[in-house]
Amino acid sequence: MPRHQVLIRLARYFNVVWIDPPKAWREYWYPGAKSRRERQAFREIAPGFTVMSPGRMRPLVYRPAWLNRRVTARMLHDAQTYLKSRGANRVVLYLWRPKFAQALQLLKYDASIYHVDDEYSFSDVEQPNDAREVQLLRAADQVIVHSQRLLQKKGGINAHTALIPNGVNYHAFSTLQAEPPDLATISKPRIGYIGVVKKQLDLLLLARLAQARADCSFIFVGPIGNISGKEAALAELRALRNVHFLGCKAVDELASYTQHMDVCLMTYEINDYTNHIYPLKLHEYLAAGRPTIASPIATVLEHRDVVTLADGHQEWLVGIDHALSPAANTPQEIERRRSRARCHDWDTLVHDIAKLFNARLGLAPLGDDVTETK
């Protein structure tokens, strides 16, 4: 997820503590609970990047409200104390969801960042900004949004709002990797989707495409998410002989699957929610050099010179046929796609975020060299 990509790279500039969400108190304190023995722990999993597990003394308590606030305050204080033990003399609160806004009242800090990486109403129909989120947008010292539509909707609330799009681990996705064994047994040409299978996808369209191109293998790499209301379409898709669901894979395996597809798809339904998203897979597909076909959601329109747009069954079929042609797979076309992804490497984007941190803290500005570290 974007928050993982960002924070582990911010540790090159600052000491970072990631607080794992605490478990509900019952998971710690009920007789026989599996987590009953869990204590607070700090694990440094990369230089400067530490994961804090709250443990049974800092559980999630819903009621009463005063107890919830007290436990949460203690948890934040513990993270702050750890940072200070590492030599930190300033503290930044980096929030990724409106539900964490109470942290602004529970801890003394030097700057706060609110990073909006989704339209949290998750509504297919445009909704006004939630009043609680508006309060957070106003209170934060710096706001970051990841798409132009989110900037249009939320960017006028806080003067310190920056657009930082989603990115890609360019080196991982552009460096050739071995073909995964479970993919090697599937015949070509391979039409692939890498990501969570969810209700925002047009699953019925995918079934029709697989039926119309029976000589192609349609491959899905990723877990099944929320498909509420589309169970029948998913069942129809799964029943087709040329459709293969390979399940969830580790993050460091995804590049190898992407690289060994012949075409990559983003079959999003077009609505007010999907027009706010910035798909992580966009630049992952491009970094792998793969011909990519997508629904014309707002974010993808910005990349229409390197992505084929399709709206309607026939346009998708034409797009697939072109993507499989020699003209779409020349070294020049592959480099055009990779060049676009290279501009969205996470290292570069996080360097820009680090610059925002320095500006809000009143520190000396960072230069443009992404190799600068703390």
Side-chain angles (χ1 to χ4, degrees), residues 168-303:
V168 59
N169 183 341
Y170 181 79
H171 177 77
F173 279 84
S174 63
T175 303
L176 185 60
Q177 300 187 28
E179 186 176 32
D182 59 345
L183 188 60
T185 60
I186 300 175
S187 62
K188 295 184 176 184
R190 299 169 182 154
I191 315 298
Y193 171 86
I194 293 87
V196 179
V197 177
K198 51 195 174 183
K199 67 178 183 179
Q200 285 80 18
L201 299 179
D202 191 334
L203 299 178
L204 193 57
L205 169 65
L206 284 164
R208 298 293 174 263
L209 295 177
Q211 290 168 337
R213 292 295 179 266
D215 58 328
C216 297
S217 297
F218 283 73
I219 302 167
F220 297 83
V221 179
I224 306 297
N226 178 11
I227 58 160
S228 177
K230 295 188 174 182
E231 291 81 2
L234 179 62
E236 181 178 348
L237 181 63
R238 299 191 77 147
L240 298 174
R241 291 186 176 181
N242 62 327
V243 172
H244 308 266
F245 284 81
L246 302 186
C248 191
K249 305 297 178 182
V251 171
D252 57 7
E253 296 180 287
L254 297 181
S256 61
Y257 285 92
T258 307
Q259 290 171 1
H260 292 280
M261 299 297 177
D262 295 293
V263 183
C264 290
L265 304 181
M266 292 189 289
T267 57
Y268 293 107
E269 293 188 343
I270 304 172
N271 55 49
D272 287 326
Y273 171 71
T274 57
N275 272 325
H276 284 90
I277 67 173
Y278 199 113
L280 276 174
K281 60 184 60 60
L282 169 60
H283 294 298
E284 294 172 350
Y285 289 172
L286 296 177
R290 298 299 81 212
T292 299
I293 313 171
S295 306
I297 61 174
T299 296
V300 179
L301 292 176
E302 304 168 24
H303 304 283

Side-chain angles (χ1 to χ4, degrees), residues 124-190:
D124 294 347
V125 180
E126 184 75 20
Q127 301 292 323
N129 287 317
D130 183 88
R132 292 168 297 180
E133 186 178 27
V134 171
Q135 289 180 344
L136 177 54
L137 288 164
R138 288 173 176 160
D141 296 303
Q142 176 70 55
V143 174
I144 299 171
V145 297
H146 79 180
S147 74
Q148 190 65 44
R149 284 292 181 91
L150 283 174
L151 183 63
Q152 293 170 5
K153 184 172 183 178
K154 305 178 191 293
I157 298 171
N158 187 316
H160 294 297
T161 299
L163 172 60
I164 305 286
N166 278 342
V168 59
N169 183 341
Y170 181 79
H171 177 77
F173 279 84
S174 63
T175 303
L176 185 60
Q177 300 187 28
E179 186 176 32
D182 59 345
L183 188 60
T185 60
I186 300 175
S187 62
K188 295 184 176 184
R190 299 169 182 154

Side-chain angles (χ1 to χ4, degrees), residues 313-369:
H313 180 260
Q314 191 58 38
E315 286 190 12
W316 277 96
L317 292 177
V318 171
I320 289 172
D321 293 342
H322 174 71
L324 292 172
S325 71
N329 291 277
T330 64
Q332 294 79 11
E333 287 300 300
I334 292 172
E335 175 53 29
R336 279 202 323 120
R337 298 177 195 120
R338 286 182 168 162
S339 179
R340 179 62 50 82
R342 200 178 298 122
C343 297
H344 291 78
D345 186 90
W346 278 119
D347 289 347
T348 301
L349 299 177
V350 173
H351 188 73
D352 291 339
I353 293 175
K355 288 181 179 180
L356 295 175
F357 270 59
N358 276 28
R360 298 287 74 79
L361 289 168
L363 300 177
L366 288 174
D368 294 326
D369 184 0

